[in-house]
Amino acid sequence: MKKALDRPSGGAVGELPHEEVILVPITWDDIGGLADAHERFLSGAPIEADVRRPVLDSWKRCRFAGLEPHRTACPYVPGLGLDDRLLRAAEPVLGDLAASLDEMGVTVVLCDGEGRMAQRRGGGRELLQRLDKVAFAPGCDASESVSGTNGVGTALSGRRPFYVVGREHFSDFLVPFACAGAPVRDPLSGRIEAVVDLTCLREHGDPAMLRVVREAVHGIEARLLEQATERERALLAAYRQAYDGALGWSWLERTSSGRETGYETGYANAELGPVDLALLREKAEALIAFPQRTLDEVVLSDGRVATLRCRPVTAAAGETGVVVEARIRGGSSPVAAGTPRPAAPSRAFPAAAVPLPSALPPASPLVSPPVAPETDGTPLAAPHTPPTASSSARGGDGPHPRARPGPDDRDGDGHGGDGREGDEQSGEGGGWPLLVGETGVSRLAVQARRRLELLHEAGLRIGSTLDVTRTAEELAEVAVPGFADFAAVDLPGAVLDGEEPEPFHTGTVLRRVALGAVHKDSSLYDVGAEIRFAPLTPQARSLDSRQPVLEPVLAEAGGWLTQDPARSERILAAGIHSLIAVPLQARGETLGVVSFYRSGKPAPFEDDDLSLAQELAARAAICIDNARRYTREHNTVLALQRSLLPRGRPEENAVDVAFRYLPAQTGVSGDWFDVIPLSGARVALVVGDVVGHGLHAVTTMGRLRTAVHNFCSLDLPADDLLAHLDDLVCRLDRGEGWMVEPSHQGSGIIGATCLLAVYDPVSRRCTLTHAGHPPPAVVAPDGTVTFVDLPPAPPLGLGGTPFETVELELAEDSRLVLYTDGLIEKRSQDVDVGLDALRTVLARAARADLAPEDTCEAVLGALLPDRPADDIVLLVARTHALGPDRVAQWDLPEDPTVVSRSRAAVTAQLADWGLDELAFTTELVASELVTNALRHATGPVRLRLLRDRALVCEVSDGSSTSPRLRRARNEDEGGRGLFLVSQLTERWGTRYTADGKVIWTEQPLP
């Protein structure tokens, strides 16, 4: 395909000599990097250096529009139709183009000005079948806001030609393709009428497609101009007549016939790039807009100097206007003697004609140039003309190309005399027309167009994120240098924190959030400075009146000087001479103030600039207020989530615990963890993750955490606990119970994963079970890392599936690591890669004998992404054993006399432990529990004392019946035993085992 696209000028697909296109081909080596960059972009990571800027800007617009790569498509739009005038202009051009590309696997697409596909030509069966599968077909909407980054929609959004290939597409369904699109403008109004797009499979893509589609667009625009009225082309025709008599041919006639064009002259031979052409256009517009100036010089990027001269011109019908001619010093003459002319472009791509600038009213007979391929879509230059030695045009009469100017007719560069010396000997290029227009309307047109361009850019760039500070920075970046030389945004602290702003008054403290500047030496307050504006300053007056304030001459503004006289003098010395202060207002609230400054040569601000400043501030204020509201809601949900999570570090003898909780950058979710003390010196470690983000996920997390606490207080086995939790989630999902919000009833959005580990420091055994959660890691004292192989289990909320447990014996000083999937899972990598990375860092931490706190830091330092897309919970527990010196146990025969012996044994053991103060109470508790076991249960009976953070007394038996606390009546002879136990101890309860049950009590140590 590349060979076909690289045909020389004059073939079926010709190259426009005046277009200088710098493209970086995308190779197959880029595909993996682009895919990784796309994933990192979706996760919020910075990728500016990895992706072309136009592609990155398109991705940002897609994300701001709420698109998701795996859910986008080209929806069908009924009732699509194109204007007959456009169809007549496009039909022969696209027909020839489709025929020339028929064997290359490229389809030619024509869409309307909104990105809806009207025609699709050629391409081959394989390509068309694959395009049909993704609905990239006539009648479908390919606009960027609906279908993501593509040749059609992004060319419309950026208002310029655009090439995209493979993973540069935002949407997954377009990744197999390469596209090159360019907008078609009405040459008279400048409005975008359609889009031409070339699409092929990704392996056939070539950046040269961009040149081909540009040529096709130029051909369509030329044919559109042929349908224009004579009045709309009168001024340009009058100028061309100056050369028709001398050369004996008609430029317009030959252009429209397609036999020959003037492309061999002008800025094509001057070898001007898009940047230089844009600069010349801007200077030419200024010459026409301001009639008091007739000459200007422009230094080009290569050091050459272009001289622009403004001359009057009159059409045959009497229309008057001016033409701006350009001469290039240091370049060759446009057409030197004997230089062969290149072949004219083929009829498939006729030469582009001269459109009118889009900002002018259609009735104005102002003619301006075609659109530059790499600029912002505004008119650039007139078509190139035959060579002349003098560029004067007076009333339609022009000198012979070899006529020399008189002694008073000085060249545009200020040199007079012999034309041969000025052109041929010095190497100066001959004059060629750059822009034609009318002075009376050009100034307003230039200003209006520039303001529209600035507002368009503001709409695209301001508000790309929901961050208050970044939005303020974007306002400053847009305003400088297009509107002002300096722009400062000042906001109160409440707005930055997401709170409602208080009414402004004298002494209100504002913080400088953003400062845009053309240079650093301005003496304005720096970013981060806290400012109290004096009552008479323009900023204070604008905040008070809620209206913009203009100070055209700062040196005479007494109120402004009162803010900081010394600093004000330095600001004036830096050349700043005028100011506009505009309050940032949105939804009836004043959020802050933005200050625009001008310095140096630009004219001071005028009254007309106030409306533009207000419009910029109004657009930015809405975006800042949206970001403020998001910040408030985000902080509220985050505060709620933190209030529902454990506070402080749990103190347990069984384990040393450290944990980390990190919320996602884009919003909080329902991750949670807990460390719950259990009876018998045991401890439960819990980690869970609720599906989804936002307030609903947080409240669901709070409910599940509370439920786990309640089930743990019942001393349920681990598998039974998860079964009860699963049943609770199912009931919440069905909308049962008063705890479910009406908006979520029956929505089926509740789901969660959970991992539960119960560790017994006496036996050093750990019981684990899970519900769809990633496996925990066990780190042995020697540094060996093992991920526990738990039986598969579904997440909570599916119901009907029993949960299984796994029991491990852990050596003392082992580390049990629990986490949520946000730590190991990323969109750009497989989960096994994350597990291997976790294994590596845990093994390194164990060999270094790091404490749990340091282990958490090491893990997060190695695995934490720059912008976490999901919440991350990490829980590291180092296990301890309760040694024999802190455990006493007796097996009791089924003999009533054993009660007295058990009391004696308890008393002796407490004396050994130095707990004589608890001897009487513990003796009574043990006696009552042993008596109940011998009387109401079956053997074997066992008595155990544990000295942990509390004194634990346990009596186990072989019965599964649990005693019940009741209040005995006055005449009852029994029933007071458990009542006494509950009064003498801090806690008591029943724990069921596989062999029976355990009645336990806890007493605080003295």
Side-chain angles (χ1 to χ4, degrees):
M1 165 142 182
K2 179 172 178 57
K3 181 178 180 181
L5 292 176
D6 285 343
R7 295 173 180 170
S9 177
V13 181
E15 180 178 0
L16 296 179
H18 73 281
E19 292 186 354
E20 178 182 348
V21 182
I22 301 176
L23 294 171
V24 180
I26 297 176
T27 66
W28 284 106
D29 295 336
D30 297 320
I31 299 302
L34 284 172
D36 180 67
H38 188 262
E39 295 295 336
R40 288 188 286 117
F41 170 80
L42 295 176
S43 67
I47 60 168
E48 279 73 6
D50 303 329
V51 182
R52 292 190 294 139
R53 186 68 195 182
V55 174
L56 181 58
D57 291 341
S58 176
W59 287 1
K60 291 179 179 179
R61 292 193 296 268
C62 294
R63 183 173 61 182
F64 188 71
L67 298 184
E68 297 183 18
H70 60 286
R71 294 184 179 179
T72 51
C74 295
Y76 180 76
V77 181
L80 176 63
L82 291 176
D83 182 73
D84 291 340
R85 184 175 62 93
L86 177 65
L87 290 175
R88 288 195 302 270
E91 186 69 26
V93 176
L94 298 186
D96 291 349
L97 179 60
S100 65
L101 300 178
D102 187 49
E103 298 180 358
M104 303 181 193
V106 181
T107 184
V108 181
V109 174
L110 178 65
C111 301
D112 67 4
E114 298 181 6
R116 298 172 298 183
M117 192 180 302
Q119 297 181 6
R120 191 179 67 183
R121 301 166 181 256
R125 178 179 299 178
E126 178 187 0
L127 174 63
L128 296 181
Q129 288 177 347
R130 298 189 65 173
L131 290 175
D132 288 340
K133 289 182 180 180
V134 298
F136 196 76
C140 295
D141 188 352
S143 60
E144 186 182 73
S145 60
V146 173
S147 305
T149 305
N150 66 84
V152 175
T154 308
L156 274 177
S157 298
R159 303 179 66 83
R160 68 186 68 185
F162 183 76
Y163 176 73
V164 58
V165 59
R167 185 66 271 179
E168 287 187 326
H169 290 93
F170 182 81
S171 304
D172 295 341
F173 78 100
L174 289 176
V175 170
F177 306 102
C179 309
V184 178
R185 288 177 172 81
D186 187 324
L188 305 177
S189 67
R191 185 168 64 91
I192 293 179
E193 298 285 349
V195 179
V196 176
D197 173 81
L198 302 181
T199 298
C200 64
L201 295 178
R202 180 173 62 185
E203 54 267 26
H204 299 156
D206 193 301
M209 293 165 58
L210 193 62
R211 171 175 54 81
V212 176
V213 77
R214 280 199 192 99
E215 294 174 358
V217 166
H218 291 162
I220 296 174
E221 290 175 347
R223 295 182 61 86
L224 284 173
L225 185 64
E226 292 174 4
Q227 305 176 41
T229 65
E230 288 299 325
R231 173 176 174 80
E232 290 166 333
R233 295 185 292 166
L235 284 177
L236 184 60
Y239 184 80
R240 300 303 178 192
Q241 289 171 4
Y243 305 103
D244 290 344
L247 300 180
W249 57 276
S250 171
W251 185 89
L252 283 177
E253 185 178 88
R254 291 172 182 265
T255 299
S256 60
S257 66
R259 293 193 302 270
E260 187 174 3
T261 70
Y263 275 110
E264 66 270 20
T265 63
Y267 53 77
N269 282 26
E271 298 181 351
L272 299 180
V275 176
D276 288 336
L277 292 176
L279 184 60
L280 292 178
R281 173 208 61 185
E282 182 178 358
K283 297 297 184 180
E285 289 173 345
L287 283 178
I288 294 179
F290 303 98
Q292 64 272 21
R293 298 179 58 193
T294 58
L295 286 175
D296 201 354
E297 286 190 347
V298 181
V299 179
L300 303 180
S301 58
D302 57 2
R304 293 182 295 168
V305 177
T307 303
L308 305 182
R309 175 183 296 175
C310 189
R311 296 182 180 277
V313 61
T314 304
E319 298 93 339
T320 60
V322 291
V323 61
V324 177
E325 301 171 334
R327 288 169 177 253
I328 307 296
R329 292 207 305 270
S332 61
S333 182
V335 179
T339 301
R341 294 183 177 182
S346 77
R347 290 184 55 83
F349 303 99
V354 184
L356 292 174
S358 58
L360 294 180
S364 172
L366 176 69
V367 182
S368 103
V371 178
E374 302 293 338
T375 63
D376 57 1
T378 55
L380 179 61
H384 316 297
T385 63
T388 64
S390 171
S391 51
S392 80
R394 297 182 177 88
D397 296 327
H400 188 277
R402 291 298 178 186
R404 300 183 180 182
D408 296 331
D409 184 13
R410 301 181 62 85
D411 291 65
D413 60 350
H415 299 285
D418 186 55
R420 183 175 301 275
E421 179 181 355
D423 293 345
E424 298 176 3
Q425 295 180 9
S426 69
E428 176 188 339
W432 42 268
L434 180 67
L435 193 67
V436 182
E438 284 186 292
T439 304
V441 295
S442 288
R443 181 175 183 272
L444 297 179
V446 169
Q447 292 178 345
R449 181 181 58 77
R450 290 177 179 173
R451 290 174 179 176
L452 287 175
E453 291 173 356
L454 186 62
L455 291 177
H456 175 71
E457 183 181 9
L460 293 177
R461 294 179 57 185
I462 299 177
S464 62
T465 67
L466 287 173
D467 181 83
V468 174
T469 300
R470 180 57 193 150
T471 304
E473 292 172 348
E474 289 169 343
L475 169 58
E477 291 170 359
V478 168
V480 176
F483 178 64
D485 294 321
F486 303 91
V489 182
D490 304 313
L491 304 175
V495 173
L496 295 173
D497 296 335
E499 305 297 332
E500 295 288 341
E502 298 180 356
F504 286 91
H505 55 80
T506 302
T508 297
V509 178
L510 301 180
R511 186 180 306 167
R512 178 136 299 174
V513 179
L515 177 63
V518 293
H519 59 77
K520 297 181 179 180
D521 301 330
S522 64
S523 297
L524 297 171
Y525 290 106
D526 293 327
V527 173
E530 293 187 347
I531 308 171
R532 290 182 175 87
F533 287 110
L536 298 180
T537 58
Q539 290 85 353
R541 284 185 285 147
S542 68
L543 290 171
D544 183 58
S545 64
R546 299 166 65 91
Q547 296 294 327
V549 174
L550 168 64
E551 290 289 355
V553 183
L554 279 179
E556 301 175 2
W560 175 76
L561 296 172
T562 62
Q563 173 68 26
D564 186 340
R567 182 183 295 272
S568 301
E569 291 296 332
R570 295 196 300 270
I571 292 175
L572 293 175
I576 297 178
H577 51 67
S578 60
L579 160 69
I580 292 180
V582 187
L584 295 168
Q585 300 178 81
R587 301 180 178 95
E589 299 289 342
T590 302
L591 307 175
V593 63
V594 55
S595 304
F596 301 106
Y597 299 88
R598 279 186 181 172
S599 66
K601 292 184 178 180
F605 286 117
E606 302 174 352
D607 291 338
D608 290 343
D609 295 315
L610 284 177
S611 59
L612 179 57
Q614 276 186 292
E615 184 67 24
L616 285 175
R619 296 192 180 197
I622 291 294
C623 296
I624 289 175
D625 192 53
N626 290 339
R628 178 191 66 82
R629 290 168 179 261
Y630 172 79
T631 301
R632 180 185 61 189
E633 299 300 329
H634 179 78
N635 291 342
T636 300
V637 175
L638 188 60
L640 174 62
Q641 184 183 41
R642 292 192 180 278
S643 69
L644 296 175
L645 292 173
R647 296 185 180 181
R649 184 178 304 173
E651 296 183 359
E652 297 290 334
N653 285 344
V655 290
D656 290 336
V657 175
F659 57 83
R660 294 291 186 275
Y661 166 75
L662 298 174
Q665 292 289 333
T666 55
V668 294
S669 61
D671 291 18
W672 94 91
F673 66 95
D674 224 328
V675 180
I676 305 173
L678 302 176
S679 62
R682 298 171 304 139
V683 63
L685 307 175
V686 188
V687 169
D689 184 0
V690 176
V691 175
H693 291 78
L695 185 60
H696 181 58
V698 172
T699 55
T700 303
M701 176 270 289
R703 296 170 186 169
L704 297 186
R705 180 171 176 253
T706 302
V708 171
H709 266 274
N710 292 336
F711 294 145
C712 284
S713 68
L714 299 177
D715 264 328
L716 295 176
D719 51 348
D720 288 349
L721 190 151
L722 279 192
H724 283 286
L725 199 62
D726 180 58
D727 180 64
L728 173 64
V729 173
C730 289
R731 288 188 288 111
L732 291 176
D733 214 10
R734 292 193 298 266
E736 299 177 8
W738 60 271
M739 294 173 62
V740 180
E741 299 93 335
S743 61
H744 294 292
Q745 290 184 2
S747 60
I749 62 172
I750 299 178
T753 65
C754 184
L755 174 65
L756 174 64
V758 177
Y759 175 68
D760 186 346
V762 178
S763 63
R764 293 186 289 106
R765 301 196 69 81
C766 182
T767 303
L768 301 107
T769 185
H770 80 115
H773 202 82
V778 175
V779 186
D782 62 356
T784 304
V785 180
T786 304
F787 289 100
V788 182
D789 187 14
L790 295 174
L796 299 172
L798 298 182
T801 303
F803 297 94
E804 301 180 42
T805 61
V806 171
E807 194 170 85
L808 305 174
E809 183 172 340
L810 301 180
E812 189 170 6
D813 285 334
S814 296
R815 290 165 177 81
L816 188 61
V817 181
L818 287 69
Y819 51 90
T820 57
D821 56 4
L823 182 67
I824 60 170
E825 292 185 3
K826 298 178 183 177
R827 292 173 58 95
S828 58
Q829 70 178 27
D830 189 77
V831 65
D832 291 337
V833 177
L835 290 175
D836 291 340
L838 178 60
R839 184 198 309 272
T840 301
V841 68
L842 288 177
R844 189 184 306 120
R847 289 193 295 269
D849 196 23
L850 297 182
E853 281 288 336
D854 298 329
T855 302
C856 287
E857 290 296 328
V859 171
L860 294 182
L863 302 182
L864 181 66
D866 295 332
R867 291 180 57 86
D870 194 7
D871 286 10
I872 294 177
V873 167
L874 175 64
L875 183 65
V876 179
R878 182 165 60 185
T879 62
H880 299 294
L882 208 60
D885 58 325
R886 304 173 70 178
V887 180
Q889 180 174 297
W890 301 273
D891 292 326
L892 305 178
E894 296 184 24
D895 183 357
T897 61
V898 77
V899 177
S900 60
R901 296 200 299 272
S902 65
R903 290 199 296 267
V906 167
T907 302
Q909 184 62 54
L910 293 180
D912 291 343
W913 284 345
L915 300 176
D916 298 280
E917 299 178 21
L918 301 178
F920 175 77
T921 303
T922 307
E923 179 184 349
L924 180 58
V925 169
S927 174
E928 181 61 34
L929 296 182
V930 170
T931 300
N932 283 343
L934 294 175
R935 180 178 298 178
H936 303 292
T938 59
V941 178
R942 181 175 297 162
L943 172 64
R944 188 170 73 164
L945 294 180
L946 304 176
R947 180 168 64 87
D948 193 41
R949 291 185 177 274
L951 179 62
V952 180
C953 179
E954 296 180 343
V955 174
S956 60
D957 56 56
S959 173
S960 60
T961 60
S962 175
R964 178 172 59 89
L965 177 66
R966 64 186 180 89
R967 190 176 297 277
R969 292 172 295 183
N970 292 336
E971 62 273 14
D972 289 346
E973 296 183 0
R976 296 178 178 85
L978 282 181
F979 177 76
L980 291 175
V981 170
S982 67
Q983 297 298 310
L984 295 174
T985 60
E986 188 174 53
R987 294 196 310 151
W988 76 279
T990 303
R991 179 173 74 251
Y992 292 94
T993 64
D995 302 326
K997 68 176 183 297
V998 176
I999 309 297
W1000 57 268
T1001 66
E1002 285 186 4
Q1003 303 173 70
L1005 297 177

